[in-house]
Amino acid sequence: MQNKVQKPLMEMRYANELAALRKHDTGAKPANWQLSPRAVRDFILGKKDPLELDGKEVTITPKYLGDDALVERSIITLAGNRGLMLVGEPGTAKTMLSELLSAAICGTSTNTVQGTAGTSEDNIKYSWNYALLLAKGPVKEALIPSPVYIGMKKGIITRFEEITRCPLEIQDSLISIMSDRVLNIPELGEDGFLFASSGFNVIATANTRDKGINEMSSALKRRFNFETVEPVRSVALESKIIREQCSGMFAANGLDIEVQDDVIDVLASTFNELRNGTSYEKAKIQKLSGVMSTAEAVSVYYQSALDGYYYGDGNVSMRSLVQNLLGAVMKENKDDLPKLKDYFNGVIKLKAERSGGLWQEFYENRNYIK
């Protein structure tokens, strides 16, 4: 039995949709793009009418639920001569959006630099096979290309994740590449210039909580158009995202688990209120300092559903939901614990008195918050 891929690439997961869009795409395409900007937009935001592919109807599903105008601006940026910088709170789907853009534009989302404190210039530009280097000297076959090198040579998107986690001098190695669209390899002499092919560009991500780690230089900032990915404000939209994300993960892992909409609504409302510091009942809430992102909400529901699937009766218990919520709150700042207790003793208590049902069960399990 062949093992399933835990997390299929966007170009694998949505291969039929991409193929259908390519077949019916009549829009103008930037050089070396697989889809026109209009078709890229349809791929990410969805299309009302299905498309025909091999005699079957293919529905183009919405994959990014948020700011449609942000997606359109991002696509236009990548069609131009500046890179795209996606910034925002952790868990706001910056990485997912960059993957979707790359998959639609060039058919691959794997050409990626992962920014860390240990990222070096070699990880961005190129390095050497030292055995070949010693045997033959600095020849092209001894060169090991980096994601940026590959992106320039093939004319595809290079994704740079968490760029502000890299030291400033490493970030700035991109300046000349982004400006001149040429990479100089001095060791190769006159043949050491790699000129970027049409279609090359960079999508970088940075979360606003880490801005102080390695602030970007003004020179590098000017090479990018910045787009801020905001947290989800609507409880209904957040519920929809949790539902669709968890349904997809259940299916990908072969789990026969039904999504419980009423539980998701409780969770989405809780995360939304804790994130924004306000409640529907207008009760006072102390805003948490930790990240209460939609991605965390998806994780809390998924873990709670697994607990019910393997240990319970298949349903999500409020006990498990409260315990996993506590883990999400406590992972960054233990000082948020008293705030969470106050939230349960105030807002959740009020909801339980007014609505009963799941809210009452939710409130009754507050004893796990110690």
Side-chain angles (χ1 to χ4, degrees), residues 1 11 15 62 144 171 176 189 247 253 285 289 298 351 369-370:
M1 180 178 174
E11 55 269 30
I144 301 174
Q171 295 178 35
S176 61
S247 294
N253 289 285
I285 300 174
S289 59
V298 170
K351 290 178 186 290
I369 304 173
K370 299 176 181 179

Side-chain angles (χ1 to χ4, degrees), residues 3-261:
N3 290 334
K4 287 187 176 181
V5 176
Q6 275 195 335
K7 188 178 182 293
L9 301 172
M10 294 298 180
E11 55 269 30
M12 295 166 56
R13 184 175 178 182
Y14 301 110
N16 282 347
E17 292 187 30
L18 289 168
L21 285 165
R22 283 194 294 270
K23 178 179 178 180
H24 295 275
D25 190 7
T26 58
K29 301 176 188 176
N32 212 31
W33 279 35
Q34 294 196 2
L35 294 173
S36 67
R38 187 182 297 274
V40 173
R41 180 194 184 281
D42 287 343
F43 173 67
I44 296 172
L45 299 178
K47 187 176 176 65
K48 183 178 179 181
D49 299 321
L51 300 175
E52 181 276 329
L53 179 68
D54 299 330
K56 298 179 180 178
E57 286 191 344
V58 176
T59 301
I60 310 302
T61 58
K63 301 161 191 71
Y64 176 79
L65 304 175
D67 188 345
D68 291 4
L70 179 146
V71 173
E72 292 172 349
R73 291 194 303 269
S74 298
I75 295 167
I76 295 303
T77 290
L78 293 170
N81 60 0
R82 284 195 174 191
L84 172 65
M85 178 69 67
L86 298 174
V87 300
E89 290 279 320
T92 49
K94 300 182 295 298
T95 294
M96 185 183 78
L97 180 55
S98 74
E99 290 173 345
L100 290 168
L101 287 165
S102 298
I105 290 169
C106 59
T108 178
S109 60
T110 58
N111 191 42
T112 307
V113 179
Q114 180 59 57
T116 68
T119 300
S120 67
E121 195 168 328
D122 290 352
N123 301 132
I124 296 174
K125 293 182 174 180
Y126 61 90
S127 57
W128 296 97
N129 179 325
Y130 287 102
L132 279 176
L133 190 64
L134 290 171
K136 297 184 177 182
V139 292
K140 282 191 176 180
E141 56 261 41
L143 185 143
I144 301 174
S146 71
V148 172
Y149 185 106
I150 293 170
M152 295 178 71
K153 188 174 181 63
K154 293 185 177 181
I156 61 175
I157 300 292
T158 298
R159 296 173 47 233
F160 201 133
E161 288 290 306
E162 302 287 0
I163 191 170
T164 52
R165 290 187 178 276
C166 299
L168 185 62
E169 63 272 15
I170 302 303
Q171 295 178 35
D172 282 351
S173 64
L174 283 174
I175 292 176
S176 61
I177 293 172
M178 300 295 293
S179 296
D180 305 326
R181 303 287 162 149
V182 61
L183 174 60
N184 183 17
I185 307 168
E187 295 91 338
L188 297 180
E190 293 182 359
D191 296 327
F193 290 95
L194 174 66
F195 295 91
S197 299
S198 298
F200 167 71
N201 214 328
V202 176
I203 305 175
T205 64
N207 81 68
T208 49
R209 296 215 170 212
D210 287 344
K211 276 182 69 176
I213 292 179
N214 293 295
E215 180 65 78
M216 292 176 67
S217 67
S218 297
L220 184 57
K221 285 180 178 178
R222 288 196 297 272
R223 272 69 180 180
F224 286 91
N225 282 346
F226 279 63
E227 293 290 347
T228 301
V229 184
E230 297 287 353
V232 177
R233 302 296 181 191
S234 163
V235 174
L237 180 57
E238 189 149 20
S239 294
K240 185 176 181 181
I241 293 171
I242 297 169
R243 185 180 305 111
E244 292 185 358
Q245 290 284 315
C246 288
S247 294
M249 289 192 290
F250 294 150
N253 289 285
L255 299 171
D256 184 19
I257 300 177
E258 289 289 331
V259 173
Q260 295 171 247
D261 290 337

Side-chain angles (χ1 to χ4, degrees), residues 285-359:
I285 300 174
Q286 297 183 70
K287 193 173 180 179
L288 303 189
S289 59
V291 177
M292 299 301 293
S293 66
T294 303
E296 281 291 344
V298 170
S299 178
V300 167
Y301 184 83
Y302 187 72
Q303 295 299 321
S304 301
L306 289 183
D307 180 84
Y309 181 75
Y310 288 114
Y311 298 132
D313 59 1
N315 295 314
V316 175
S317 69
M318 290 296 106
R319 170 195 56 78
S320 180
L321 201 70
V322 170
Q323 290 175 339
N324 284 300
L325 170 64
L326 178 62
V329 170
M330 292 286 285
K331 70 166 63 175
E332 287 196 44
N333 193 341
K334 292 183 178 180
D335 292 340
D336 282 338
L337 180 59
K339 299 176 184 178
L340 184 63
K341 286 181 179 177
D342 288 345
Y343 173 69
F344 265 78
N345 290 327
V347 174
I348 302 299
K349 181 180 180 181
L350 189 57
K351 290 178 186 290
E353 291 172 350
R354 289 183 176 179
S355 304
L358 283 178
W359 285 110

